[in-house]
Structure formats: structure tokens, C-alpha cells
Amino acid sequence: MNATGQDATGQGTQRLVWAVVGSDIGPLLLAATEDGLVNVVFHAAGDVRDKALERLGSRLGTEPVEAPGSPLLAEPIRQLRAYFAGERRDFELPLDWSLIAGFNRQVLRELATGVPYGTVVGYGDLASRVGQPGAAQAVGIAMGANPLPVVVPCHRVVESDGGIGGFGGGLETKRQLLALEGVLPQPLF
């Protein structure tokens, strides 16, 4: 890519930058394009990080570049740190939704805008909110496909019977996020 953002053929190329940042729930890989934050990956060390970057590059058709000082990552890093410090309840970030489409995108957008900090919603309730009552299982699949966990708060989706439900980052991570938001009691140790 040259200084004008074009490759050798003169075609525009998508910038894809990433960094791994520490958090209360372990290392998070954050990736962004010029359109916004595109991916958050839990437990982003070693093989997990490498596989996530390979998958991301393949899906977006460009090589991810490690750039922790990139302006594209500065605000996501700042807001995530404030969230874990208990100083931020809502994320105000441009999001790149290109890794998800259709029903899954519809459900995740509703989740991002309609389920505030400190609250939870049932899988079935979220399905009803997007006009698909009875699609609770499909909502669960959408949560598992969420490319932007924490920022798009899939940890706030729980079972209607009071169970915590599943979570791609692991149930302990989900419990920690819900405790941070005051939904669950903080663990004693």
C-alpha cells in the first residue's frame, strides 16, 4: 500500500489495525478498520491471538497490522479501560459491522442500543424485540457469533429461568462482567 492508501494496482485497500490490551478479564485483542472497531477477542494470547488474526485477515481480505498507537484504536482502548475502571457505562464508538450480517446483525444492534448497563435480557425477549418471537435459540447463536463482545454486550443476555446462559469468553468471564455491572454480586475471593 502506498501513501495514498492504494495498493500497487491502484485499488483502495482497507486498513486493519490491532493491539492486545490488558483488562480485568484477561488480554483482549482489539481490531479496527477505518469504519470503526471491528473485533474484540477474549483470552488473546499466543495461539488464540494468532488464530483470531488469521481468521480476521481472511474474512476482511487484508493483512492485520499490529499498531497499538493507531488513532483507530485510541478511543476503543480508552473507553474499555474506563469501563473496567467503573467510570463508563456506555460505549460511544464507531463500529464496523462487516463481520456479521442478517438476523445476527439485527439482534446485536438491538442488544447494543436496547439493553443498558446493569440490566439483562432473556434470549426469548431479545428475539421478540426484533420481531422473531420463538427464535431464542437463534439469538443464542447470534450471541456466540458476536464479533464485538463487551462493547456489544452479549454478556447481558441470560436464560429466562434465571440461568446465566452460555458465553464465548467462558462463564467465569460472563460472571465477572455481570458483577462489574452490578447484576451479580462480586465474588468474595
Side-chain angles (χ1 to χ4, degrees), residues 5 17 28 50 55 57 62 69 78 90 93 96 115 117 130-131 133 184:
V17 296
L28 297 173
D50 296 345
R55 187 173 53 252
T62 190
R78 189 187 73 71
D90 301 305
L93 295 169
D96 179 338
V115 183
Y117 182 98
V130 297
L184 293 175

Side-chain angles (χ1 to χ4, degrees), residues 53-126:
L53 289 169
E54 184 179 315
R55 187 173 53 252
L56 189 58
S58 173
R59 295 211 38 214
L60 294 179
T62 190
E63 187 68 28
V65 175
E66 185 173 14
S70 170
L72 298 176
L73 292 169
E75 193 59 17
I77 290 170
R78 189 187 73 71
Q79 288 191 27
L80 275 161
R81 285 185 175 145
Y83 170 80
F84 284 110
E87 300 164 357
R88 173 172 281 280
R89 292 176 166 231
D90 301 305
F91 292 97
E92 297 170 7
L93 295 169
L95 301 177
D96 179 338
W97 292 94
S98 62
L99 293 177
I100 198 129
F103 176 79
N104 290 358
R105 184 187 291 190
Q106 182 184 6
V107 168
L108 291 171
R109 282 183 182 261
E110 172 60 29
L111 176 63
T113 59
V115 183
Y117 182 98
T119 65
V120 293
V121 65
Y123 292 94
D125 291 336
L126 192 52

Side-chain angles (χ1 to χ4, degrees), residues 22-28 42-43 80 83-86 88 117-120 150 153-156 158 164-189:
S23 78
D24 292 359
I25 56 171
L28 297 173
F42 293 115
H43 315 298
L80 275 161
Y83 170 80
F84 284 110
R88 173 172 281 280
Y117 182 98
T119 65
V120 293
V150 182
C154 53
H155 60 277
R156 296 180 190 154
V158 296
I164 194 168
F167 194 63
L171 292 182
E172 184 54 34
T173 299
K174 186 171 186 172
R175 282 187 193 95
Q176 287 178 283
L177 290 167
L178 291 172
L180 172 72
E181 295 188 9
V183 175
L184 293 175
Q186 291 285 350
L188 295 174
F189 42 87

Side-chain angles (χ1 to χ4, degrees), residues 8-29:
T9 65
Q11 299 296 307
T13 56
Q14 173 79 306
R15 285 183 60 208
L16 175 59
V17 296
W18 66 275
V20 173
V21 298
S23 78
D24 292 359
I25 56 171
L28 297 173
L29 180 141

